[in-house]
């Protein structure tokens, strides 16, 4: 079994998630997920970007013939690894209880197909498509979720552990709860600004985030039983924080607390089994009931991860702003000084380099994989010409972030691989199909795939690196 996370060679790949690519939401006994409700019932993309999209078809990746063709493109790019997520409601349509064998068979076949192509499967257990049956019972707010998630994880480990040794528990826990779920609630309630949240909202989400982290640690415990000798990690959205005004004490304090909320909370939890005191105090001041139980912290402490998955897009420029939750004003647009703005924030590859050195220095140099990195800039960077899509800005973004990653590795950061988000254009959550992040263009009406300039550049970059250049 090829173990790409084992120390040694650097691995190259791309990342995706079930809900964003699979489609076929009614097939083979899949249960509903909260995102089916967010898209269809709450009309979340309409609330955010003004047009109604759903992921019923997405990019048809659930279809075997399509998937084999897609894997052929992965081979053409020279990928060592492919990160995908397992859809919890395909495995357990009600979230708990009866296992849906057709769902298990699907992922088992996909793993076989990847392995047959020489590509290491890197499954994520949870990438936001939470089973609706359990969401209706409170979802991550219900403490039973700790067992629900660990039991689901065990089903997946049992099904795949004979062929897969590296797993990721959660994708971007913070974004799921503090961004997407809050936006969904506001879309449901038809609020005028679904993107505007309060400190009380953040206080309310804090215990759910704690349950989620405890569930993660319980899944790590199950992993130790089912996949001895394997490696398990968590994929975190890490944002180096920078005060908008470096001389303004309130901005400096806001950047520090934002760093706690976005970065330290999760790194401390996953690697040390502790929470940063400043973050707990800030959240507690908006929800006195937020008091992480000692026995949960013991579960976290007993089950550290083997590696950190870094999802990096940009730093966050932060200013103190009372109109934002906890007074932490940061966002992608109003604090982004770039002339051409990337969807996910300012383009600063050197911040990825610094982040990797910080993880090396502050957390005793744990193994790291870049589990997501990539960009979209809009139509200006997606110009179809003669059967090729020109995307010079994305190409430049990926090239410079790879350089930053390899520079940190050369300076001793234990970075073992790099995955682009994403190989294919896909369903970008609250923005639907409007935002493209792929190195392969997808015509969403016909499912036709057309490699972009960035696909060729990434393929050449991988080949050069392998040749030692
Ligand atoms: C983070 C998420 O994990 C992924 O689902 C999303 O599509 C990308 N970032 C791009 O925004």
């Amino acid at each position: 079994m090829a173990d790409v996370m084992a120390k040694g060679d650097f691995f190259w790949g791309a990342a995706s998630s079930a809900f964003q690519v699979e489609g076929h939401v009614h097939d083979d006994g899949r249960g509903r997920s909260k995102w089916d409700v967010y898209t269809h019932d709450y009309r979340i993309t309409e609330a955010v970007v003004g047009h109604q999209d759903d992921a019923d078809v997405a990019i048809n990746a659930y279809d075997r013939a399509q998937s084999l063709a897609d894997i052929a493109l992965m081979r053409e790019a020279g990928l060592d690894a492919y990160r995908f997520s397992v859809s919890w409601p395909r495995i357990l349509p009600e979230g708990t209880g009866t296992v849906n064998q057709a769902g298990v068979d699907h992922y088992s076949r996909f793993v076989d197909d990847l392995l047959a192509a020489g590509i290491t499967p890197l499954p994520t257990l949870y990438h936001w498509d939470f089973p609706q049956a359990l969401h209706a019972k409170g979802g991550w707010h219900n403490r039973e979720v700790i067992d629900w998630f660990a039991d689901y994880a065990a089903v997946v480990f049992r099904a795949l552990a004979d062929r897969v040794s590296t797993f990721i528990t959660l994708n971007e826990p913070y974004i799921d709860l503090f961004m997407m779920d809050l936006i969904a609630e506001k879309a449901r309630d038809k609020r005028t600004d679904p993107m505007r949240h309060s400190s009380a909202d953040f206080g309310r989400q804090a215990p759910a985030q704690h349950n989620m982290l405890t569930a993660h640690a319980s899944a790590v415990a199950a992993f130790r039983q089912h996949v001895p000798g394997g490696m398990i990690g968590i994929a975190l959205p890490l944002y180096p924080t920078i005060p908008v005004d470096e001389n303004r004490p309130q901005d400096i304090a806001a950047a520090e607390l934002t760093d706690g909320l976005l970065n330290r909370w999760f790194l401390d939890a996953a690697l040390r089994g502790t929470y940063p005191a400043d973050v707990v105090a800030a959240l507690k001041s908006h929800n006195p009931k937020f008091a992480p139980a000692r026995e949960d912290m013991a579960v976290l402490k007993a089950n550290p991860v083997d590696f950190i998955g870094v999802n990096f897009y940009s730093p966050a420029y932060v200013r103190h702003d009372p109109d934002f939750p906890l007074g932490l004003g940061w966002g992608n647009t109003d604090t982004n000084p770039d002339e051409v703005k990337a969807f996910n924030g300012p383009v600063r590859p050197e911040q990825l380099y610094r982040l990797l050195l910080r993880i090396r220095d502050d957390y005793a140099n744990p193994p790291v994989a870049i589990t997501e990195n990539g960009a979209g800039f809009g139509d200006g960077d997606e110009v179809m010409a003669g059967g090729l899509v020109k995307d010079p800005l994305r190409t430049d973004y990926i090239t410079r972030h790879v350089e930053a990653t390899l520079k940190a590795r050369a300076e001793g950061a234990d970075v073992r691989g790099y995955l682009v988000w994403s190989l294919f254009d896909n369903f970008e959550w609250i923005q639907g199909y409007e935002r493209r992040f792929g190195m392969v263009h997808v015509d969403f009406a016909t499912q036709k795939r057309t490699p972009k300039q960035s696909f060729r550049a990434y393929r050449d970059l991988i080949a050069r690196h392998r040749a030692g250049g």
Side-chain angles (χ1 to χ4, degrees), residues 391-403:
D391 57 346
L393 295 177
R394 177 178 296 108
T395 303
D396 178 64
Y397 180 98
I398 293 171
T399 309
R400 289 164 63 205
H401 284 78
V402 165
E403 278 165 15

Side-chain angles (χ1 to χ4, degrees), residues 138-143 145-146 170 173-179 181-182 185 197-215 257 260-261 265-266 269 275-293 296-297 300 325-326:
W140 294 111
H141 291 265
N142 185 332
R143 280 190 58 80
V145 76
I146 298 166
L170 306 174
Y174 177 88
I175 304 293
D176 184 35
L177 290 185
F178 285 84
M179 186 175 161
D181 279 6
L182 289 177
E185 279 176 16
H197 313 307
S198 65
S199 296
D201 287 333
F202 272 34
R204 195 160 39 81
Q205 294 302 84
Q209 189 73 89
H210 168 67
N211 290 342
M212 197 174 184
L213 285 166
T214 312
L257 183 57
L261 195 65
W265 188 0
F266 299 89
Y275 287 171
D278 58 339
V279 173
V280 176
L283 291 167
K284 212 179 171 62
S285 70
H286 297 283
N287 180 357
K289 290 203 193 115
F290 177 48
D296 294 346
M297 296 314 293
L300 272 156
L326 311 181

Side-chain angles (χ1 to χ4, degrees), residues 153-293:
V155 174
V156 178
F157 296 147
R158 273 197 294 272
L160 304 181
D162 58 334
R163 287 155 292 156
V164 180
S165 58
T166 305
F167 284 82
I168 291 163
T169 54
L170 306 174
N171 179 72
E172 301 198 348
Y174 177 88
I175 304 293
D176 184 35
L177 290 185
F178 285 84
M179 186 175 161
M180 298 302 178
D181 279 6
L182 289 177
I183 295 168
E185 279 176 16
K186 275 137 206 163
R188 176 196 64 200
D189 299 344
K190 302 265 173 293
R191 301 270 192 90
T192 41
D193 187 354
M195 308 294 279
R196 204 183 166 87
H197 313 307
S198 65
S199 296
D201 287 333
F202 272 34
R204 195 160 39 81
Q205 294 302 84
Q209 189 73 89
H210 168 67
N211 290 342
M212 197 174 184
L213 285 166
T214 312
H216 146 85
S218 302
V220 172
F223 179 80
R224 302 282 173 233
Q225 277 181 16
H226 293 283
V227 199
M231 288 184 79
I232 192 156
I234 184 168
L236 301 175
L238 299 179
Y239 297 83
T241 60
I242 301 167
V244 168
D245 181 344
E246 310 247 5
N247 297 313
R248 190 168 175 248
Q250 293 106 310
D251 285 5
I252 295 169
E256 178 61 19
L257 183 57
T258 305
D259 176 57
L261 195 65
L262 298 173
N263 307 319
R264 283 183 280 117
W265 188 0
F266 299 89
L267 289 168
D268 288 7
L271 291 163
R272 302 176 178 152
T274 60
Y275 287 171
D278 58 339
V279 173
V280 176
L283 291 167
K284 212 179 171 62
S285 70
H286 297 283
N287 180 357
K289 290 203 193 115
F290 177 48

